[in-house]
């Protein structure tokens, strides 16, 4: 007669099989539910570039005929992309939301384009970034703020920017080229090229200029690039060696 340990082992084996099946099924759903130019599903974007992929599950997406996605973009899970105040509006002949080539939008980010929003090529967003061209107005002190007609201003984010986790980009923001927006920053107004901004409201805390370099100076040395042609096995061996010899120079 089987003992209790036998039944426990069978139950544990069954749980492992169910777990593997669930994980395998979810991976299949993610692959099948991803949106690409070849497999747009229900989403009818104005343009979706070669190699661009929206991970499944997607967030809220509407106004796709006025949204352009460049080539080789990565849009993470639960990312919201909207053009217009609500679905089924006619927004005219021109795109409202333009996303350049090579853009990465982190999980849970929102890009709300009620008027024009432009994100330049090779911008990288951390998770839960919020970009909006619309803000509530509160001119009438007697009327609930949520019932007052909002204000809209275009937003422009230049190419090569890094937008940190949880940053908020407000209407009217014009961010230059290769700007770093610190995590949690709230950006409004104009940000010059090659700057680092932080805080709420965000302010410039570091800037690069050709005559003086980075000011204030960077506190850490630049990272050493991976040599061309280095294999993954060589990288693993190097990492193990660095762990054993932490004070040894690398590069």
């Amino acid at each position: 007669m089987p003992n209790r340990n036998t039944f426990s082992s069978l139950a544990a084996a069954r749980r492992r099989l169910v777990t593997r099946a669930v994980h395998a099924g979810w991976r299949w759903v993610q692959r099948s539910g991803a949106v690409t130019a070849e497999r747009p599903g229900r989403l009818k974007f104005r343009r979706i570039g070669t190699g661009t992929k929206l991970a499944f599950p997607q967030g809220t997406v509407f106004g796709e005929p006025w949204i352009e996605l460049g080539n080789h973009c990565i849009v993470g899970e639960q990312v919201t992309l909207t053009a217009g105040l609500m679905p089924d509006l006619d927004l005219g002949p021109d795109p409202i939301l333009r996303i350049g080539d090579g853009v990465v939008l982190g999980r849970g980010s929102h890009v709300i384009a009620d008027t024009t929003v432009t994100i330049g090529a090779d911008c990288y967003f951390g998770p839960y970034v919020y970009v909006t061209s619309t803000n509530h107005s509160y001119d009438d002190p007697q009327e609930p703020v949520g019932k007052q007609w909002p204000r809209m201003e275009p937003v422009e984010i230049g190419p090569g920017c890094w937008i940190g986790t949880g940053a908020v980009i407000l209407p009217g923001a014009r961010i230059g080229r290769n700007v770093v927006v610190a995590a949690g920053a709230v950006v409004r107004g104009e940000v010059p090229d090659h700057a680092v901004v932080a805080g709420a409201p965000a302010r410039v805390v570091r800037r690069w200029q050709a005559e003086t370099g980075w000011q204030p100076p960077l506190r850490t040395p630049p990272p050493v690039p991976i040599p061309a042609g280095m294999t993954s096995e060589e990288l693993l061996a190097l990492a193990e060696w660095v762990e054993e010899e932490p004070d040894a120079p690398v590069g």
Side-chain angles (χ1 to χ4, degrees):
M1 181 176 180
N3 59 30
R4 184 175 298 178
N5 290 336
T6 301
F7 286 119
S8 297
S9 298
L10 289 172
R14 188 161 50 246
R15 284 195 297 270
R16 287 194 295 269
L17 287 173
V18 170
T19 298
R20 289 179 188 142
V22 168
H23 288 179
W26 179 243
R27 287 193 296 270
W28 180 86
V29 169
Q30 287 179 306
R31 289 193 299 270
S32 301
V35 169
T36 64
E38 297 75 27
R39 295 185 301 170
R42 64 174 182 81
L43 300 176
K44 310 298 182 184
F45 289 106
R46 184 186 186 99
R47 177 176 181 267
I48 178 168
T50 301
T52 289
K53 182 175 181 179
L54 285 74
F56 181 86
Q58 290 92 36
T60 300
V61 180
F62 63 77
E64 311 97 275
W66 293 271
I67 299 176
E68 291 186 350
L69 299 168
N71 300 324
H72 304 293
C73 296
I74 299 173
V75 179
E77 295 179 14
Q78 299 290 357
V79 169
T80 289
L81 300 173
T82 67
L85 285 168
M86 61 189 70
D88 302 322
L89 295 177
D90 185 349
L91 304 179
D94 300 319
I96 301 297
L97 172 56
R98 295 182 179 94
I99 296 176
D101 295 342
V103 170
V104 176
L105 301 180
R107 177 188 177 93
S109 292
H110 288 59
V111 184
I112 311 299
D114 296 327
T115 186
T116 56
V117 172
T118 303
I119 300 174
D122 299 313
C123 285
Y124 288 71
F125 286 31
Y128 307 108
V129 171
Y130 194 93
V131 180
T132 180
S133 63
T134 302
N135 211 346
H136 292 290
S137 59
Y138 47 89
D139 303 64
D140 186 346
Q142 308 305 321
E143 186 75 9
V145 172
K147 292 185 177 181
Q148 299 189 43
W149 192 252
R151 284 185 168 85
M152 303 180 189
E153 293 184 76
V155 172
E156 184 176 346
I157 300 174
C161 292
W162 168 257
I163 314 297
T165 300
V168 177
I169 313 298
L170 293 174
R174 297 177 61 86
I175 298 174
R177 172 185 295 270
N178 283 29
V179 168
V180 174
V181 176
V186 179
V187 181
R188 61 185 183 187
E190 190 159 346
V191 177
D193 294 347
H194 307 295
V196 180
V197 296
R203 62 184 182 86
V204 175
V205 296
R206 180 171 278 120
R207 190 175 179 190
W208 183 90
Q209 293 179 315
E211 302 81 14
T212 58
W214 284 106
Q215 296 297 326
L218 299 175
R219 295 190 294 268
T220 56
V224 178
I226 297 172
M230 197 168 197
T231 66
S232 56
E233 292 79 9
E234 290 171 334
L235 285 173
L236 289 171
L238 178 61
E240 291 173 0
W241 180 71
V242 170
E243 288 181 1
E244 296 171 359
E245 302 287 344
D247 297 325
V250 178

